[in-house]
Amino acid sequence: MNKKTLYISEIGLLSAFAIILSYVETLIPIPIAVPGVKLGLANFLVLLCLYIYGIKEAIIVNLIRIFVIGCMFGNLFSILFSIAGAGISLMVMVMVKKTNLFSMTGVSVAGGVSHNMAQILIAAWLVNSTQIVFYLPVLVVCGIVTGAVIGILAGVIVKHIPGKQINRNGDKIL
Amino acid sequence: MKMNKNDYFLIIACAVLAGVLFLIFEKCRDDNGKYVVVRDDGEIVLELRLDTETEYRYKNSYGFNTIVIKNNCVYVESSDCHNEECIRQGKISKTGESIVCLPHKVVISIGAGNIKTENDELDGVAG
């Protein structure tokens, strides 16, 4: 098959999977419902993209996911809010990955924690009130737990994707 | 899949951060949460007693939120915001907890309130 076709279909497949995970996430109620704070299931796919392909692909899949989910369940406001959180989280994950000190689990934990922190700080800034910062400790703990679970799972999956053990930059995974 | 030493270090660092933040907030927390404080774009616009049974329809330029106080709990019963996230956030009853309606810029939280300290005597008279 044409390499480019394969590439496009792979990105499409990963985006579809990310969209489904984002949707499943909306069905799971979480007790602390601060706006924008989620379990971060979709981060699983973003993490896989980051390791299997690279930064560019992780950004593409993330944007497609946020845009489609935003059109189906949200509006322009929620899209922008999600992009802010996802962008900061991805930036942190890329930086943590670049240090080469951490495994996928560490990168995922950093992503989860930074996502939750970013969302709550942006929310506090938007409503001009520091009241909701009260939830920060709980959210950091949530980020650690979901980040660790997702990181471990993604680590298992990456090992079983044939022929994709080395990403486009030639970095060896794990 | 394997976690290395640095991963554990990162997790512990994050947990410590959460613990420290928790202790700081716990220290600053006003335990005297007798009031439901409604903030609109950061400014206190309404203070209601938590131990009453009441329903209040707060309206601003973005839309409305119907706030219900019942059995020492506060919740948003209805709202015309697009995601109804404020309704989904359910009931709150403890000091420091809050309900946020992001699209309306409204934060409903439980705290000691400001009006009380200023008009303490008046409140007592109105009792």
Side-chain angles (χ1 to χ4, degrees):
Chain A
M1 207 198 296
N2 186 334
K3 259 194 174 159
K4 192 158 184 180
T5 319
L6 186 68
Y7 175 70
I8 291 170
S9 49
E10 278 175 352
I11 293 292
L13 208 63
L14 289 167
S15 303
F17 196 4
I19 291 162
I20 291 170
L21 283 182
S22 272
Y23 172 64
V24 168
E25 199 168 59
T26 62
L27 301 176
I28 305 169
I30 47 166
I32 348 121
V34 176
V37 172
K38 291 173 238 144
L39 282 176
L41 291 180
N43 200 35
F44 176 67
L45 256 288
V46 176
L47 200 62
L48 281 183
C49 274
L50 191 59
Y51 272 83
I52 297 170
Y53 297 96
I55 300 166
K56 198 182 102 197
E57 288 76 7
I59 293 171
I60 293 171
V61 168
N62 229 343
L63 283 178
I64 293 174
R65 169 184 74 85
I66 291 167
F67 188 69
V68 171
I69 285 289
C71 287
M72 289 201 291
F73 306 107
N75 55 15
L76 184 69
F77 175 79
S78 66
I79 291 175
L80 291 176
F81 191 59
S82 295
I83 286 178
I88 289 168
S89 164
L90 187 61
M91 234 163 61
V92 170
M93 287 202 287
V94 168
M95 284 193 292
V96 171
K97 184 173 173 277
K98 277 261 160 77
T99 61
N100 275 330
L101 287 171
F102 302 97
S103 76
M104 257 175 124
T105 313
V107 174
S108 175
V109 167
V113 170
S114 60
H115 179 268
N116 284 359
M117 283 178 84
Q119 292 287 60
I120 202 162
L121 291 175
I122 293 166
W125 173 63
L126 283 175
V127 295
N128 233 328
S129 139
T130 53
Q131 244 45 41
I132 54 172
V133 177
F134 175 76
Y135 289 105
L136 203 51
V138 190
L139 293 171
V140 170
V141 173
C142 284
I144 295 172
V145 175
T146 58
V149 171
I150 283 164
I152 291 167
L153 280 177
V156 175
I157 302 281
V158 154
K159 276 192 176 169
H160 292 91
I161 299 178
K164 288 276 193 284
Q165 296 299 311
I166 291 169
N167 73 15
R168 306 223 157 174
N169 303 325
D171 301 329
K172 225 171 162 224
I173 294 162
L174 298 174
Chain B
M1 185 206 162
K2 268 179 252 140
M3 283 170 72
N4 61 30
K5 214 170 63 192
N6 293 322
D7 290 339
Y8 288 111
F9 182 72
L10 180 76
I11 290 174
I12 290 166
C14 287
V16 167
L17 174 75
V20 169
L21 284 173
F22 177 75
L23 286 177
I24 292 170
F25 292 154
E26 199 67 8
K27 200 126 209 279
C28 297
R29 196 163 87 160
D30 203 338
D31 258 328
N32 209 5
K34 297 256 164 51
Y35 283 82
V36 176
V37 183
V38 181
R39 283 180 174 79
D40 184 348
D41 201 7
E43 269 179 61
I44 297 175
V45 286
L46 190 67
E47 289 187 347
L48 303 161
R49 286 187 72 94
L50 187 58
D51 54 7
T52 50
E53 290 213 354
T54 177
E55 201 180 307
Y56 190 89
R57 197 175 154 106
Y58 181 71
K59 228 178 147 179
N60 64 12
S61 55
Y62 300 106
F64 73 87
N65 298 77
T66 308
I67 303 155
V68 177
I69 306 175
K70 214 175 185 179
N71 301 328
N72 283 315
C73 285
V74 195
Y75 60 96
V76 176
E77 195 183 56
S78 61
S79 168
D80 60 351
C81 57
H82 56 80
N83 54 9
E84 301 197 325
E85 196 124 12
C86 45
I87 299 167
R88 203 169 60 79
Q89 286 172 52
K91 292 180 181 177
I92 56 167
S93 58
K94 293 188 193 79
T95 310
E97 287 185 324
S98 48
I99 297 173
V100 188
C101 182
L102 214 48
H104 293 175
K105 293 198 173 196
V106 170
V107 180
I108 301 151
S109 54
I110 296 179
N114 277 345
I115 292 170
K116 193 190 69 176
T117 46
E118 285 166 16
N119 304 333
D120 225 353
E121 281 172 49
L122 275 175
D123 258 9
V125 174

